[in-house]
Amino acid sequence: MSSFTPFANSHNAVIVAPDGLRGSFNGLDCCGYARDSKIDDIKFFSQIQHTLEEEYPLFINSSYSYGVGWSNGGFMVMYASRLFKAISPISGYTIDIANMREGTGIFFHHGLQDQVVRPTGCCADLNTNRSSCCCGIKPSKCVSVQEMMKDIAQKKNRCISDDAGTFYLEQSFEDVHGGILCMTATGKSCIANSTICLYNHSRHFGSFATEFPMKEHVMDFFATDMCSSNNGLWSDRNKTCCCRETKIESTFCFDSTG
């Protein structure tokens, strides 16, 4: 996650990168020592938020926390989603969204060639009861990442396009050379952004720092959410938040003049 650090200044963000016990987090369905030992990593994350807010009240507001995680970290930010205003799970997702708050922005990223956390879902073999994914990932049912995104968009972010309950996705980004296609849920009733990016040529982004190409896009997604929360308009190009009421640029329109 340290590869996000270069984008901190341009997006007026504070990057916090916690370490899980023995390199793992208890993300419900994944993984390792933390999950097997039932470590309460949601409480761990919450304590970090409150400690930083108390020590740096001028810079930190836990109500405007955002979560991005890769692999086991992707499972973790989804499992702990109620702590964040928006999340971006990369190459990892849990299917339990019971505790996710309504209006939580979601920015999925997943490689279609991923054999570690399969985009079609971590399905258990009926004969052996072994998961099709690595690391003992075996959720209660098999749900694809596309189905998961649709579920969140409809149930948590109210993205229904018409009275008949129709659900639509529109293309929001494409990199033909890189084999990347992003789709965003549409509808006037949407209360948060629900977007999924699928990578046709990518596996599990094993060397995350060099292989995952959309770090700046993730930061723009969070900045857009933060800016719009205060009736502002974020510019991906200029990295500024323009406050609609005063027509001036401000740090996410928090100060009294913007």
Side-chain angles (χ1 to χ4, degrees):
M1 290 298 107
S2 61
S3 55
F4 280 93
T5 303
F7 303 105
N9 286 337
S10 63
H11 290 77
N12 292 300
V14 176
I15 304 293
V16 180
D19 285 328
L21 286 176
R22 299 189 185 178
S24 65
F25 294 111
N26 179 11
L28 185 62
D29 297 318
C30 174
C31 288
Y33 175 82
R35 180 197 58 185
D36 296 343
S37 302
K38 295 181 171 54
I39 302 298
D40 190 348
D41 278 321
I42 293 180
K43 183 177 180 180
F44 171 46
F45 278 26
S46 180
Q47 287 176 333
I48 291 174
Q49 288 178 322
H50 290 126
T51 298
L52 290 174
E53 189 172 36
E54 288 180 358
E55 293 187 6
Y56 306 100
L58 295 178
F59 305 103
I60 304 293
N61 183 338
S62 62
S63 298
Y64 292 93
S65 294
Y66 294 84
V68 56
W70 165 68
S71 194
N72 182 197
F75 285 87
M76 188 63 224
V77 295
M78 281 199 69
Y79 187 40
S81 62
R82 69 173 184 264
L83 300 178
F84 303 110
K85 200 168 180 303
I87 58 174
S88 183
I90 304 166
S91 301
Y93 64 99
T94 180
I95 66 170
D96 186 349
I97 60 171
N99 293 323
M100 180 179 285
R101 295 182 300 180
E102 284 196 343
T104 299
I106 185 91
F107 196 17
F108 279 109
H109 296 266
H110 216 101
L112 293 179
Q113 309 306 317
D114 194 335
Q115 302 297 304
V116 178
V117 181
R118 294 179 183 270
T120 52
C122 294
C123 312
D125 185 281
L126 294 178
N127 296 317
T128 65
N129 200 36
R130 294 180 61 185
S131 173
S132 60
C133 298
C134 89
C135 318
I137 302 170
K138 192 168 64 176
S140 58
K141 58 182 178 179
C142 186
V143 181
S144 72
V145 66
Q146 293 98 321
E147 291 173 312
M148 202 66 246
M149 182 271 191
K150 181 178 179 180
D151 205 31
I152 292 172
Q154 290 181 311
K155 294 180 179 179
K156 297 298 182 179
N157 292 335
R158 306 180 193 171
C159 290
I160 305 298
S161 297
D162 55 37
D163 293 338
T166 308
F167 175 79
Y168 293 109
L169 292 172
E170 66 177 23
Q171 180 177 311
S172 50
F173 177 84
E174 184 178 23
D175 178 349
V176 175
H177 178 73
I180 306 170
L181 179 65
C182 301
M183 305 293 289
T184 299
T186 64
K188 294 181 179 179
S189 62
C190 291
I191 59 174
N193 190 325
S194 303
T195 295
I196 184 169
C197 295
L198 299 174
Y199 299 70
N200 192 48
H201 311 309
S202 299
R203 294 181 180 272
H204 197 61
F205 303 113
S207 178
F208 181 80
T210 58
E211 291 184 19
F212 180 68
M214 294 187 71
K215 302 178 187 71
E216 186 172 8
H217 293 79
V218 170
M219 295 296 288
D220 283 334
F221 183 88
F222 292 154
T224 297
D225 182 271
M226 172 80 88
C227 183
S228 64
S229 296
N230 296 296
N231 199 32
L233 183 65
W234 175 258
S235 169
D236 289 351
R237 180 178 180 178
N238 298 323
K239 309 303 179 193
T240 56
C241 181
C242 181
C243 309
R244 296 178 191 270
E245 294 182 2
T246 59
K247 306 298 182 182
I248 65 171
E249 295 177 357
S250 173
T251 306
F252 300 115
C253 304
F254 277 117
D255 59 271
S256 57
T257 60

